[in-house]
Amino acid sequence: MDIIAKLAQEFKIAPWQAEAVVKLIDDGNTLPFIARYRKEQHGSLDDQMIREISDRLAQLRSLEERRNEISESLKKLEVWTEELQKDLDAAETVGRLEDIYRPFRPKRKTRASVAKEKGLSPLADFLLAQNSGKTDVEEYAASFISEEKGVKDTEEALQGAMDIIAETVSDDPAVRAKIKNQYSTFASITTAQAQEGESVYEMYYDHREPLRAMPSHRVLAMNRGEKEGFLKVNLEVNDASAVRLIEQLYVKEGDATTPYVKAACEDAYKRLIVPSVTNELRGNLTDRAQADAIRVFALNLRPLLMQPPVKGKTVIGLDPGYRHGCKIAVVDSTGSVLDTAVIYIMPEMHRVEQAKETVKRLIRKHGVTVAAIGNGTAGRETEQFFADIIREMGMDSELSYMIVSEAGASVYSSSKLAAEEFPDFDVNLRSAVSIARRLQDPLAELVKIDPKAIGVGQYQHDLKEKELDAALSGVVLDCVNAVGVDVNTASPSLLSHVAGVNNTIAKNIVAYREENGPFTTRAQLKKVPKIGPKAFEQCVGFLRIPDGKDPIENTGVHPESYAAAKALLKKFGLKTTDAAAGKLKEALEGVDVAALAAELEVGEPTLRDIIAELQKPGRDPRDELPPPLLRKDVMDIADLVQGMELTGTVRNVIDFGAFVDIGVHQDGLVHVSQMAKKKINHPSEMVRVGDVVTVWVKDVDVKRKRIALTMVKPGN
């Protein structure tokens, strides 16, 4: 297989682009570095496409490795032929490769292998040839009766021969290809109730739909229902039609042996092919569903991590709770903890007024302007409690709050990392700190948590852990490097996600700055243990030094482009500080950038990046996004009425819609059909996590706490 040609075809790029990406990967470059600093080599492909190419490259190489393994195995078995090799070379999936190898693969004991040991292969060949002529079938079969070999009568001889034929038919790649196509095209997946009683799977107690049309979320739901014992799941197809497809390949009408071959074909289908093909197709269906779910998870994680930070504010974080109270942490604009407390807001504890006084005192003492409230147990009561405080303090114009996802906060608070960061803090207080910091800088705080624990997406606990980890780690890596990292303030967790930096190097960077003081130049990174030339090349462009000796080191300009950047400034008689003041933009008006790039001996994409970075040193791409929605009061689900217009924040995007926080502590669902007047294929075409959207109440079920929303204005 020509992997380069295959990649170029699948991703609709030029072969030279595919070849360049593959070479850059093979040379040990990280994907963020390739996307950002090698644009000329690959034609400015974006980071997402480069990651997809990398993933597909790994799949194709794995396929090629299996192809070679099978080819070598066939040679060792002395059954290899040029025709078989052609079939192997044409195979585009592992399933097809395994079907080709199947007839030759060493098998465990089977009915056919037992029959072969009894010497019944010639009888099987005789029957399969269907050219008996004047030979009496039963008389010929009787010649294979042997007490020594364990063939006691004619019936046993014929059955053994048919077992051999059935296995031959089942192992035939052509047969399997036809049956798989039949199932893929015409099969239905059916589900039925497996045990008495109510469950969340009631909608699947009597369900049928075409296999080819199964959406991923239903596949995963059915799998889970089956695993938990609530559902029976089957694939159904017209069996008679499937058997006829096999007979077209093996049956010759009109011979005395034909009925035996027909019986063997039917046995092959029911006993050998159906279980195997069903397992394979359901496995493929699950693999596809899992891949889709992982894609949705990654799709949600990216905007969640890239939510705009709430900068320059002192934040009070509230981690709700009943019996153990509501934990509080006040952090300053840099994330340093100023104060902590535990309050009890449940009326039955008779300490509500005391709790209010504690919070009011902390707000006044530290100049708090915004609160981050966790959305877990007792979250609604805590939200109402804080809304009352805003009203009582008369701070409507100064104080606001935002509901923050608690997902993963408990995982972080009990982790080794949290213990190192806050050794003197109770586990619950660490959660309150994490909640407050999530509002200040979601990216810096969420990288401390296993991405699976963040809780965006669907069925994350049913997915293949290795693939999910790889996909989510890739998203975190892309986000961290897109933003850039202050090398003098970043935690080891954040530094470890910089391209070219592993956990050891991250700790070494922190240890170096603690021992030697803040970095003043990027070149100092070369003195950090374990940062060799390759690691330096990969990471240095993503690390920022805001107060360093040269302002250029607070940009994404790579040191390898410093000469070009300085030549650019020199050409127009400017300093680095002039560029940030807008003078570079003025100087470049009407200038042919392509010609300028040639003059400076640098690629045009790189020059454009240099210009953008010099104009905005310390640029944070998150600042260009709409700010998060802060609230001052809370509503109850009972306050909602049909047609009410609301503003909300998208919390999760799944295959069939999006969940939106509208300020009633119960997220509402906007079904995919309610996102636009036109038909859309996936909710991600319309919204992403963190988006602030206008919605209208479509329906409310107070008892079941379900809210149906629409993004299509009523009457339109």
Side-chain angles (χ1 to χ4, degrees):
M1 177 189 293
D2 186 338
I3 289 179
I4 299 298
K6 185 76 172 170
L7 290 172
Q9 177 189 15
E10 289 185 6
F11 290 95
K12 295 180 173 56
I13 57 177
W16 67 266
Q17 291 178 293
E19 186 174 10
V21 172
V22 171
K23 186 177 187 309
L24 286 163
I25 291 171
D26 289 344
D27 286 344
N29 295 291
T30 62
L31 302 188
F33 178 82
I34 293 171
R36 180 67 176 80
Y37 296 113
R38 291 295 179 263
K39 291 182 178 179
E40 285 80 12
Q41 292 187 33
H42 57 70
S44 297
L45 300 175
D46 64 38
D47 58 347
Q48 186 61 31
M49 179 171 284
I50 290 172
R51 188 165 296 284
E52 289 174 6
I53 291 172
S54 176
D55 291 343
R56 183 59 174 146
L57 173 65
Q59 292 173 357
L60 292 175
R61 283 180 167 170
S62 177
L63 179 67
E64 201 64 21
E65 183 179 349
R66 183 58 183 151
R67 192 192 320 276
N68 293 334
E69 287 173 355
I70 291 174
S71 183
E72 289 302 311
S73 180
L74 293 175
K75 288 173 183 176
K76 287 179 182 177
L77 293 169
E78 298 182 349
V79 294
W80 182 91
T81 64
E82 289 186 2
E83 193 64 32
L84 273 174
Q85 188 61 51
K86 285 181 181 177
D87 290 342
L88 289 174
D89 291 341
E92 295 192 354
T93 65
V94 174
R96 178 59 181 163
L97 285 176
E98 299 300 341
D99 282 349
I100 295 168
Y101 183 41
R102 191 181 187 90
F104 311 101
R105 183 193 293 123
K107 294 181 175 66
R108 292 177 295 177
K109 194 171 186 178
T110 65
R111 281 165 51 171
S113 67
V114 171
K116 288 176 182 178
E117 289 172 3
K118 293 179 178 181
L120 296 172
S121 291
L123 178 57
D125 293 340
F126 168 75
L127 295 176
L128 195 54
Q130 296 166 82
N131 189 24
S132 61
K134 295 181 180 180
T135 304
D136 183 272
V137 175
E138 293 204 4
E139 186 177 322
Y140 181 65
S143 68
F144 289 89
I145 297 172
S146 168
E147 188 176 335
E148 180 185 348
K149 292 182 178 180
V151 183
K152 62 183 180 183
D153 54 32
T154 301
E155 184 180 346
E156 188 170 311
L158 288 168
Q159 183 59 57
M162 287 190 291
D163 287 341
I164 294 172
I165 294 172
E167 187 168 276
T168 299
V169 169
S170 171
D171 285 347
D172 187 340
V175 167
R176 299 185 76 81
K178 278 182 173 289
I179 297 302
K180 285 180 186 178
N181 182 64
Q182 179 82 350
Y183 268 74
S184 298
T185 307
F186 300 110
S188 293
I189 193 160
T190 65
T191 55
Q193 186 175 4
Q195 59 178 270
E196 294 297 321
E198 296 182 357
S199 77
V200 296
Y201 305 104
E202 288 180 18
M203 68 181 74
Y204 300 117
Y205 280 179
D206 184 16
H207 183 82
R208 170 189 293 268
E209 69 179 297
L211 177 68
R212 66 180 184 276
M214 278 288 290
S216 296
H217 64 275
R218 279 211 288 274
V219 173
L220 296 175
M222 289 177 181
N223 286 354
R224 184 183 285 182
E226 183 179 42
K227 184 178 179 181
E228 293 176 2
F230 290 102
L231 298 177
K232 293 177 183 177
V233 183
N234 287 302
L235 289 187
E236 294 183 2
V237 76
N238 187 314
D239 292 331
S241 176
V243 171
R244 280 197 296 273
L245 289 174
I246 300 173
E247 291 178 347
Q248 288 171 5
L249 295 175
Y250 277 91
V251 174
K252 302 172 185 175
E253 295 289 352
D255 192 83
T257 59
T258 297
Y260 298 99
V261 177
K262 279 188 173 183
C265 287
E266 187 170 351
D267 177 47
Y269 173 72
K270 291 181 178 178
R271 180 170 59 88
L272 301 174
I273 296 175
V274 168
S276 172
V277 168
T278 297
N279 287 340
E280 183 178 336
L281 290 180
R282 283 201 63 192
N284 291 343
L285 196 66
T286 297
D287 287 345
R288 192 182 75 234
Q290 291 203 358
D292 285 346
I294 289 172
R295 180 185 59 80
V296 169
F297 210 123
L299 201 68
N300 282 332
L301 181 61
R302 186 181 299 268
L304 180 67
L305 294 175
M306 294 295 283
Q307 284 185 98
V310 176
K311 295 179 178 178
K313 293 182 181 292
T314 298
V315 176
I316 185 169
L318 292 89
D319 180 12
Y322 285 118
R323 190 173 61 177
H324 297 295
C326 175
K327 281 66 65 179
I328 293 177
V330 180
V331 299
D332 68 14
S333 59
T334 67
S336 298
V337 181
L338 300 175
D339 224 325
T340 62
V342 178
I343 59 174
Y344 298 87
I345 67 171
M346 297 300 137
E348 58 269 26
M349 294 184 178
H350 308 292
R351 298 168 71 176
V352 176
E353 291 307 315
Q354 180 184 339
K356 286 183 178 180
E357 287 306 312
T358 299
V359 174
K360 290 175 183 178
R361 175 178 57 79
L362 292 173
I363 290 172
R364 294 189 184 102
K365 178 181 177 181
H366 300 292
V368 172
T369 55
V370 64
I373 302 173
N375 67 341
T377 303
R380 186 184 184 287
E381 291 85 349
T382 306
E383 182 182 1
Q384 184 62 62
F385 168 82
F386 197 81
D388 291 342
I389 285 177
I390 293 176
R391 191 164 49 253
E392 290 174 15
M393 293 184 73
M395 297 182 68
D396 287 3
S397 60
E398 302 171 41
L399 189 60
S400 57
Y401 70 87
M402 181 175 174
I403 302 300
V404 175
S405 171
E406 282 186 17
S410 59
V411 175
Y412 161 73
S413 60
S414 58
S415 68
K416 182 181 177 182
L417 174 61
E420 291 173 354
E421 197 170 3
F422 302 108
D424 301 325
F425 276 30
D426 174 79
V427 170
N428 294 317
L429 288 175
R430 293 173 190 163
S431 292
V433 176
S434 178
I435 288 169
R437 287 178 169 180
R438 288 183 188 202
L439 184 61
Q440 291 181 316
D441 192 338
L443 180 60
E445 195 61 25
L446 291 174
V447 294
K448 300 174 183 177
I449 301 165
D450 181 345
K452 295 193 298 296
I454 294 176
V456 288
Q458 53 192 5
Y459 299 100
Q460 57 263 39
H461 302 298
D462 298 336
L463 307 180
K464 292 179 181 176
E465 192 165 344
K466 185 178 178 182
E467 280 90 339
L468 181 59
D469 284 346
L472 300 187
S473 296
V475 172
V476 174
L477 190 69
D478 289 344
C479 291
V480 169
N481 290 282
V483 171
V485 172
D486 183 341
V487 72
N488 286 323
T489 62
S491 66
S493 334
L494 189 57
L495 286 166
S496 69
H497 292 288
V498 173
V501 175
N502 56 29
N503 289 329
T504 300
I505 292 176
K507 290 177 181 177
N508 289 346
I509 290 174
V510 173
Y512 183 90
R513 79 189 184 207
E514 288 176 349
E515 184 177 342
N516 300 282
F519 289 90
T520 56
T521 69
R522 281 170 165 170
Q524 287 176 285
L525 287 162
K526 295 178 181 178
K527 298 178 182 179
V528 174
K530 302 290 185 182
I531 295 188
K534 189 68 175 180
F536 179 81
E537 175 196 54
Q538 298 296 305
C539 75
V540 68
F542 302 109
L543 295 172
R544 309 281 189 267
I545 304 180
D547 300 313
K549 292 181 180 179
D550 190 336
I552 200 172
E553 303 216 305
N554 191 30
T555 72
V557 177
H558 197 282
E560 65 188 13
S561 297
Y562 281 0
K566 289 174 181 177
L568 169 68
L569 294 171
K570 184 178 179 181
K571 178 177 175 63
F572 296 104
L574 301 173
K575 296 178 182 179
T576 309
T577 51
D578 295 331
K583 293 182 180 180
L584 179 58
K585 183 179 180 181
E586 294 173 7
L588 288 170
E589 287 183 6
V591 172
D592 184 339
V593 177
L596 181 58
E599 180 185 336
L600 298 175
E601 298 182 341
V602 67
E604 184 180 346
T606 295
L607 179 59
R608 291 187 181 278
D609 284 344
I610 290 171
I611 292 169
E613 291 292 335
L614 290 176
Q615 289 178 339
K616 289 186 177 182
R619 170 182 172 269
D620 187 335
R622 297 174 297 173
D623 292 340
E624 298 169 11
L625 300 172
L629 181 64
L630 300 176
R631 299 188 181 279
K632 296 181 181 293
D633 204 353
V634 62
M635 287 196 307
D636 187 271
I637 189 171
D639 297 329
L640 301 179
V641 294
Q642 192 174 21
M644 181 184 285
E645 180 178 331
L646 299 162
T647 302
T649 303
V650 177
R651 294 299 183 199
N652 199 5
V653 179
I654 51 179
D655 283 341
F656 55 84
F659 287 100
V660 179
D661 172 12
I662 53 173
V664 297
H665 199 67
Q666 179 66 45
D667 291 347
L669 173 65
V670 181
H671 190 268
V672 63
S673 63
Q674 296 297 317
M675 289 187 166
K677 295 174 76 174
K678 62 180 182 180
K679 186 179 185 304
I680 60 173
N681 296 316
H682 194 273
S684 59
E685 296 174 26
M686 300 296 297
V687 294
R688 63 179 193 170
V689 171
D691 281 355
V692 175
V693 295
T694 300
V695 294
W696 289 266
V697 177
K698 191 169 186 294
D699 189 32
V700 181
D701 186 335
V702 176
K703 185 178 179 181
R704 299 171 73 186
K705 294 184 178 180
R706 290 185 178 179
I707 305 168
L709 304 171
T710 179
M711 289 170 56
V712 180
K713 187 174 182 179
N716 280 14

